[in-house]
Amino acid sequence: MTLTDTVTADITLYAKWTAQSNIAYKVEHYQQDVTGTTYTLADTDNLTGTTGETVSATPKTYTGFTENTTHPDRVPSGTVLADGSLVLKLYYDRNTYTVSFNSNGGSAV
C-alpha cells in the first residue's frame, strides 16, 4: 500500500517505537543554608540516557554535609523522558556538633 492508494476497507496500522539515546537529564544537588531552613543549589550534573530508561542519582560527598534521604522534595530516580525534562534532586544537610568545655576547676569560659 502506498500513500496514493484508496482505502476501501478497515485497515490496522502499527507504530514502531525506537528508544532514543543521548537524551539529556539533570541531577541537582542542594546544600542546606546556614539558617537551616532553606537549601541552595550547589552543583548540577548534566547527564544523558536512553528514552524510557530508569536512572538514579549518585550522591556526592561534601565536607560538612550529609545527604538528607527523607527530604520531601528529594527525587533520587526517574525515567528519562524524550523531551529531556527529567530533573533528579538530592538534598544535603549541614552536619552539626555539640562542643562541651570542662574547665577542670578553673574559671568558666
Side-chain angles (χ1 to χ4, degrees), residues 23-30 41 43-49 55-58 75-81 84-90:
I23 302 297
Y25 72 95
K26 293 192 279 188
V27 178
E28 296 178 343
H29 302 267
Y30 292 87
L41 180 63
D43 280 313
T44 300
D45 299 329
N46 293 302
L47 305 169
T48 60
V55 293
S56 297
T58 301
V75 182
S77 64
T79 302
V80 177
L81 304 172
S85 63
L86 176 63
V87 179
L88 305 180
K89 297 179 181 187
L90 298 181

Side-chain angles (χ1 to χ4, degrees), residues 26-39:
K26 293 192 279 188
V27 178
E28 296 178 343
H29 302 267
Y30 292 87
Q31 291 179 341
Q32 187 179 39
D33 294 331
V34 175
T35 62
T37 58
T38 58
Y39 291 77

